[in-house]
Amino acid sequence: MKIVIVGGVAGGATAAARLRRLDETAEIVVFERSGFVSYANCGLPYYIGGVIEDQEELTLQTPESFYERFRVQMKVHHEVTAIDRSAKTVTVRNLATGEVFQEPYDKLLLAPGARPTQPALPGVGLDRLFTLRTVEDTLRIRRFVDTQHPKSVVLAGGGFIGLELAENLRERGLDVTIVQRPKQLMTPFDADMAALIHREVRAHGVRLALGHTVEGFAESEGGVQVLLKDEQPLQADMVILAIGVTPDSRLAAEAGLELGLKGSILVNDRMQTSDPDIYAVGDAVQVNHFVTGQPALIALAGPANKQGRIAADNMAGGDSRYKGSQGSSVLKIFDLTAAATGLNEAAARRAGLDVEAVVLSPMNHAGYYPGGRVMTMKVLFERRTGKLLGAQIVGSDGVDKRIDVLATAIRAGMTAADLTELDLAYAPPYSSAKDPVNMAGYMMENLLTGKVKQFRLDELATLPRDGSVTLLDTRTTGEYSRGHAGGFINLPLDELRDRLSELDPAKPVYVMCQSGLRSYLACRILTQHGFTCYNFAGGYRFYEAVTTDRCQSNQAFACGMDK
């Protein structure tokens, strides 16, 4: 059997290695249009920033090492330009010599990945305008930074690549501005959690121009102007487009294969296209979202590798199935870690789910052990069933651990109540006896069983300030004096029982504290004394961070903080 693979990075290289392990006799040929195979896409920004110093560290395998170990022909600088499904051949151009030839196949795997989105805007081809996809792109940017010594850069786009580049270029001393049309960075996160990311990048000197439409680029003396709709242009020494990625599905489209979302390649759960002898994997394919079962595009290395393995199993005569992607991801942002899995709240609502969320701010380990730092967690669940739908965490140490536990719980179909029973490892340097994941489970269980009611950040501005409700801050007097939400009176938790007579039991009470714990305790006291009580999700720390960010971003949101 002869297998031809188009694309030799994550999905393609994984499939080639797996095929060899399954079939020692198969002839396997991989065509890769760049000069590198099996390289670390996710490491490219860190080479630009100098964190990874040796270029060779980016390359996991070379064509020679791949052949020595797997006897797979890795042909770099070879571009597949067409597929003849009836003849079962592909047309290949040798980019080094210009030679064009036909290569036959019994099974064909398409792993072309995704290309950087390049809108048809004036000035896209300027010399000082870059995109980042391949090792060659990386070397080009690194060479420009090393030799031209630019002082400023505009990054068009604030997703994974944009933020990784922002950190690495900032560490190299460049003035960095991120501009994009959406009003928040990192769309896998909800706007409230993205506010914590905004605060971190601003604290490290990165300017954010959110909610602005780029209309083109123009050369200026020694630099580039980024032209904005209804705004003054941004001036920089270089520009990097990181607007997003588009499935590279041209070959599939021209061969008449069925396409899905945004022109992606349509595959079944065996990674087969509409032609049973052609498979496709990676960023170019449409998948089903694991949580909703709905079509999705999820361009991440983990799913691409898994899909490559599954396609290889099936091409070799097996029967492996891909059960969907849930978008688990993690990102270093200066001194923070941001991670997400499953659905965010906006996506859950678009999918028609009756979603609720808890927001908590636990320490990454036992509070009495030195060096503890707060993380902010948002965990989503279905109101009726308690089924876990997604999670987002922003913090420092321990974020990756918690997101992986929650990703596993979602994969296992667990509910909020199940989280309370997880037996997780504990020692003071690593966790608390009640791990943050357990705490999220307790909070969701309290909501589901009616032990507490809550109100959310976006409800805060709509609460009446006419005296018909009681707005109560249960922090200490000192905490309250340093800043509080507008309209809230102070009654410290430890004085609450003795001062209940100061509150009107006929009025609903909306309670806030620093993190949500003391206000929860206050609600349990008040509820048992006949009050209707609502606990603020996330606490004042979360409220202050999000409100400050929205004011800085010029969003229509009442700042509402009294000093």
Side-chain angles (χ1 to χ4, degrees):
M1 180 170 66
K2 181 171 182 177
I3 297 169
V4 170
I5 298 175
V6 180
V9 190
T14 295
R18 175 69 170 173
L19 279 163
R20 178 57 73 222
R21 292 195 295 271
L22 296 174
D23 187 345
E24 187 65 18
T25 65
E27 181 183 357
I28 306 168
V29 182
V30 179
F31 294 112
E32 167 58 43
R33 64 187 158 201
S34 77
F36 299 85
V37 297
S38 191
Y39 57 84
N41 293 74
C42 300
L44 300 183
Y46 297 98
Y47 177 71
I48 293 169
V51 177
I52 299 172
E53 297 180 354
D54 189 346
Q55 172 187 327
E56 294 184 1
E57 293 294 325
L58 295 174
T59 306
L60 308 177
Q61 294 275 2
T62 65
E64 295 75 20
S65 67
F66 212 97
Y67 183 80
E68 284 180 15
R69 177 156 296 180
F70 298 109
R71 290 300 186 268
V72 169
Q73 299 178 61
M74 284 278 190
K75 296 183 178 291
V76 296
H77 297 305
H78 282 68
E79 181 178 15
V80 175
T81 60
I83 302 168
D84 187 332
R85 291 165 55 193
S86 58
K88 299 187 76 170
T89 63
V90 294
T91 302
V92 186
R93 177 185 292 112
N94 184 328
L95 299 177
T97 67
E99 175 195 7
V100 177
F101 59 93
Q102 310 297 313
E103 188 81 17
Y105 66 84
D106 294 308
K107 301 287 184 184
L108 175 64
L109 174 65
L110 302 178
R115 62 185 185 276
T117 302
Q118 283 193 313
L121 296 175
V124 162
L126 293 176
D127 289 342
R128 290 173 174 260
L129 193 148
F130 302 86
T131 58
L132 180 58
R133 179 190 186 189
T134 65
V135 174
E136 286 92 342
D137 295 334
T138 308
L139 300 179
R140 194 175 302 116
I141 297 171
R142 171 75 179 260
R143 190 180 310 116
F144 183 86
V145 174
D146 287 345
T147 61
Q148 301 301 310
H149 307 293
K151 292 182 171 56
S152 59
V153 59
V154 169
L155 304 173
F160 289 97
I161 293 296
L163 281 178
E164 288 171 345
L165 283 169
E167 176 180 352
N168 281 279
L169 292 171
R170 189 77 188 106
E171 295 291 349
R172 291 203 60 171
L174 277 72
D175 289 331
V176 178
T177 300
I178 298 175
V179 60
Q180 64 174 25
R181 183 182 302 168
K183 292 186 176 181
Q184 70 165 79
L185 304 175
M186 293 297 295
T187 54
F189 292 78
D190 287 311
D192 50 7
M193 294 296 287
L196 307 177
I197 298 172
H198 297 174
R199 180 174 63 179
E200 179 72 5
V201 297
R202 285 191 176 110
H204 285 82
V206 176
R207 286 184 288 274
L208 299 181
L210 306 178
H212 297 286
T213 300
V214 176
E215 293 195 320
F217 309 92
E219 257 183 312
S220 62
E221 189 173 343
V224 183
Q225 282 192 332
V226 181
L227 309 177
L228 304 179
K229 183 178 180 181
D230 300 327
E231 296 286 343
Q232 290 297 310
L234 299 173
Q235 176 74 30
D237 296 331
M238 64 184 297
V239 174
I240 303 178
L241 288 181
I243 296 172
V245 294
T246 302
D248 194 350
S249 56
R250 180 190 61 82
L251 275 176
E254 292 178 355
L257 299 177
E258 290 185 23
L259 303 180
L261 292 174
K262 297 183 179 178
S264 58
I265 305 171
L266 198 63
V267 293
N268 60 20
D269 60 357
R270 302 180 77 246
M271 306 314 297
Q272 274 177 311
T273 70
S274 52
D275 184 323
D277 289 325
I278 302 178
Y279 294 73
V281 300
D283 296 352
V285 306
Q286 174 182 297
V287 297
N288 288 332
H289 197 288
F290 180 79
V291 177
T292 65
Q294 296 175 358
L297 296 178
I298 298 178
L300 293 169
N305 278 278
K306 295 177 183 68
Q307 293 160 15
R309 180 184 174 93
I310 288 169
D313 286 352
N314 293 320
M315 285 189 287
D319 187 21
S320 292
R321 307 280 172 161
Y322 188 67
K323 297 179 181 179
S325 301
Q326 65 190 67
S328 300
S329 59
V330 64
L331 178 68
K332 178 183 179 297
I333 307 168
F334 294 101
D335 298 327
L336 284 187
T337 299
T341 188
L343 300 173
N344 63 22
E345 192 167 4
R349 296 194 190 285
R350 287 196 301 270
L353 296 171
D354 186 14
V355 61
E356 184 56 280
V358 294
V359 179
L360 60 157
S361 299
M363 298 281 278
N364 64 306
H365 60 56
Y368 60 82
Y369 188 87
R373 294 180 65 184
V374 170
M375 67 178 73
T376 301
M377 303 173 61
K378 182 176 184 178
V379 185
L380 280 66
F381 62 100
E382 195 173 36
R383 277 195 180 95
R384 182 178 59 83
T385 64
K387 176 186 175 182
L388 297 173
L389 301 176
Q392 302 154 55
I393 312 178
V394 179
S396 53
D397 295 342
V399 167
D400 53 342
K401 169 184 174 179
R402 273 67 186 212
I403 205 69
D404 283 342
V405 171
L406 289 163
T408 303
I410 291 170
R411 202 76 179 181
M414 296 175 71
T415 65
D418 294 326
L419 293 187
T420 68
E421 299 178 7
L422 288 181
D423 193 351
L424 302 174
Y426 160 61
Y430 302 106
S431 184
S432 301
K434 289 184 282 192
D435 188 86
V437 173
N438 297 133
M439 291 302 301
Y442 295 138
M443 291 172 66
M444 290 184 281
E445 185 180 54
N446 284 339
L447 287 172
L448 289 164
T449 57
K451 290 184 177 66
V452 69
K453 300 174 183 178
Q454 70 174 8
F455 67 107
R456 303 277 302 280
L457 181 67
D458 289 337
E459 300 173 69
L460 188 57
T462 66
L463 294 179
R465 263 72 175 182
D466 59 1
S468 60
V469 302
T470 301
L471 306 179
L472 185 64
D473 188 321
T474 58
R475 294 176 299 155
T476 65
T477 303
E479 288 174 308
Y480 179 83
S481 67
R482 288 190 289 272
H484 56 271
F488 277 72
I489 62 171
N490 184 222
L491 202 170
L493 172 66
D494 292 341
E495 302 175 20
L496 180 59
R497 288 184 179 88
D498 295 330
R499 296 174 60 183
L500 285 174
S501 61
E502 297 177 24
L503 303 178
D504 183 349
K507 296 179 181 179
V509 184
Y510 293 81
V511 190
M512 182 183 291
C513 73
Q514 191 71 3
S515 68
L517 175 58
R518 281 174 286 178
S519 51
Y520 162 65
L521 296 175
C523 274
R524 291 303 303 147
I525 294 169
L526 291 167
T527 299
Q528 293 177 79
H529 283 84
F531 290 81
T532 299
C533 190
Y534 299 86
N535 183 28
F536 180 64
Y540 180 78
R541 181 189 293 112
F542 182 64
Y543 159 81
E544 182 181 36
V546 177
T547 303
T548 301
D549 172 69
R550 289 178 174 176
C551 292
Q552 289 176 331
S553 299
N554 295 318
Q555 295 188 11
F557 187 86
C559 291
M561 282 183 285
D562 294 337
K563 296 293 182 185

